Amino acid sequence: MSADPIAVTRNASEAVTIAFGSSIPLQAYLAVAALLFCTGVWGLINSRNAVRVLMSIELMLNAVNLNLMAFSDYLDGQLIRGQVFAIFVITVAAAEAAVGLAILLSLYRNRETVDMERFNLLRW
Amino acid sequence: MTIASTIQQLCFLTLSAVVVLGALGVVLLPNIVYSAFLLGGVFLGMAGLYLLLNASFVAAAQILVYVGAVNVLILFAIMLVNKKETLAAIPGLLLRRLLSGGVCAGLFVLLLRVAFTTHWALPGPQPVGEEATIRIGEHLFSDYLLPFELASVLLLMAMIGAIVLARRDVYSSDVITGEPVDQGLIEKTRTPLLIDSTAVDGQPLLETTP
């Protein structure tokens, strides 16, 4: 069969991807995601400002997304289900941020503070 | 991405450094505005990492949704609740921070151990690369159709919920004269239900009513 130029180009491109695609190990992405997640957890526990708590939650969601994308690329390259799942995570994160900041605004109007230590009405 | 190996590693190291240092800045910086802008940097770095992982569509969605919407929303929230307040000292705060830092470091070590000791099924199938957007579209309109539609319902619910929660109750007429007012910024006084029950002079607020 005669060489189709487009097919040749694509084969060459795939060869390059095979040759260089694994120059970064999967574990490197997992390590970055783990570090990001732990930073988010620490911020979630220790923040006194309620806005920073929401930011920490966003960091954790991003870490999970990075894990999903890394697995999707390295282990599920054909059916990229991890990317679809990451899109849903982004959607839910956007909804969460909107509702969370609305709750924060309402809380600020009632308590005149954003200090997490003073939101202790339900503490026994 | 079909770029040379060294460039790829260099990009990965740079983006990882941006993401990790930015995340530390988000958590540790005392000024919340710096934290919000650094969070935007973290989101951009994550989009770069997604590009390295052959996911151009998700990278674009990340920039549009996170940098364009969520980060701006957080900045708006910071502006709306921007009041200088001196945080009261809490006994044992340092101990709490150290303890939670220890727990988080332990979690990090645990995650690293899982990542490096598991035998991943590598190398997996060849990544689809630039056809990823087409694949995502096929997924979203075939086997992920129900979650896709539910996501739109969820966004509608979140939008209505956010409006209801953050809306101010305003008077439609002037309190004194009774004339209808056009400026919608006169806010009702809130019931002191959630304000600290000890009033300024030390008297509990609930017991002052006869």
Side-chain angles (χ1 to χ4, degrees), chain B residues 43-177:
Chain B
F43 290 156
L44 284 175
M46 295 295 292
L49 285 178
Y50 294 167
L51 279 182
L52 276 182
L53 285 167
N54 296 314
S56 45
F57 178 75
V58 186
Q62 164 93 4
I63 289 180
L64 282 178
V65 175
Y66 270 114
V67 184
V70 172
N71 204 18
V72 173
L73 203 62
I74 286 175
L75 279 172
F76 265 106
I78 289 172
M79 282 191 275
L80 285 173
V81 301
N82 192 8
K83 192 180 73 171
K84 275 284 177 204
E85 55 180 321
T86 52
L87 301 177
I90 299 173
L93 186 64
L94 185 66
L95 179 68
R96 197 197 294 185
R97 292 205 163 151
L98 286 178
L99 272 180
S100 55
V103 170
C104 289
L107 179 65
F108 178 59
V109 171
L110 187 71
L111 288 175
L112 274 191
R113 184 180 148 76
V114 169
F116 281 96
T117 55
T118 309
H119 296 288
W120 305 111
L122 286 171
Q126 172 68 27
V128 288
E130 290 165 9
E131 292 176 13
T133 312
I134 302 172
R135 291 290 163 83
I136 290 173
E138 288 170 1
H139 276 306
L140 283 184
F141 285 101
S142 59
D143 46 351
Y144 289 94
L145 183 62
L146 183 63
F148 181 67
E149 299 294 336
L150 281 181
S152 58
V153 175
L154 173 78
L155 282 177
L156 180 68
M157 281 161 49
M159 187 178 73
I160 296 175
I163 291 172
V164 167
L165 280 172
R167 188 175 60 115
R168 301 177 179 209
D169 291 330
V170 293
Y171 287 120
S172 59
S173 61
D174 197 305
V175 185
I176 301 167
T177 61

Side-chain angles (χ1 to χ4, degrees), chain A residues 10 12-118 120-121 123, chain B residues 1-5 8-9 12 16 19-20 23-32 35-36 39 42-43 46 49-50 52-59 61-62 65-66 70 73-74 77-78 80-83 85 87-90 93 96-98 100-102 104-105 107-108 111-112 115-116 118 120-129 131-133 135-136 139-140 144 147-148 151 154-155 157-159 161-163 165-168 187 190-191 193-196:
Chain A
R10 278 192 60 177
S13 156
E14 280 176 3
V16 170
T17 312
I18 290 169
F20 297 128
S22 59
S23 68
I24 303 165
L26 169 66
Q27 285 86 356
Y29 285 102
L30 298 187
V32 171
L35 193 51
L36 198 60
F37 187 83
C38 292
T39 313
V41 171
W42 193 87
L44 185 71
I45 297 172
N46 283 300
S47 297
R48 306 256 335 241
N49 194 328
V51 184
R52 205 187 294 265
V53 172
L54 289 171
M55 290 192 210
S56 304
I57 294 175
E58 299 297 332
L59 285 183
M60 290 162 66
L61 285 167
N62 264 290
V64 173
N65 260 351
L66 183 58
N67 256 359
L68 287 174
M69 306 287 289
F71 284 133
S72 162
D73 190 53
Y74 280 84
L75 304 177
D76 192 24
Q78 285 299 314
L79 308 163
I80 37 173
R81 286 166 290 197
Q83 293 193 20
V84 183
F85 207 86
I87 288 174
F88 286 121
V89 172
I90 287 176
T91 312
V92 175
E96 173 262 341
V99 176
L101 290 170
I103 290 174
L104 174 68
L105 274 187
S106 176
L107 208 55
Y108 178 73
R109 292 214 188 103
N110 280 314
R111 300 299 300 258
E112 298 285 325
T113 181
V114 286
D115 188 3
M116 291 300 285
E117 299 294 329
R118 291 183 59 199
N120 52 7
L121 195 67
R123 193 175 179 180
Chain B
M1 297 270 287
T2 54
I3 51 178
S5 166
Q8 204 171 356
Q9 284 168 351
F12 175 75
S16 314
V19 165
V20 168
L24 285 176
V26 167
V27 171
L28 293 176
L29 281 186
N31 192 339
I32 190 91
S35 296
L39 190 69
V42 172
F43 290 156
M46 295 295 292
L49 285 178
Y50 294 167
L52 276 182
L53 285 167
N54 296 314
S56 45
F57 178 75
V58 186
Q62 164 93 4
V65 175
Y66 270 114
V70 172
L73 203 62
I74 286 175
I78 289 172
L80 285 173
V81 301
N82 192 8
K83 192 180 73 171
E85 55 180 321
L87 301 177
I90 299 173
L93 186 64
R96 197 197 294 185
R97 292 205 163 151
L98 286 178
S100 55
C104 289
L107 179 65
F108 178 59
L111 288 175
L112 274 191
F116 281 96
T118 309
W120 305 111
L122 286 171
Q126 172 68 27
V128 288
E131 292 176 13
T133 312
R135 291 290 163 83
I136 290 173
H139 276 306
L140 283 184
Y144 289 94
F148 181 67
L154 173 78
L155 282 177
M157 281 161 49
M159 187 178 73
I163 291 172
L165 280 172
R167 188 175 60 115
R168 301 177 179 209
E187 200 168 351
R190 288 280 166 174
T191 53
L193 179 67
L194 294 175
I195 298 176
D196 279 341

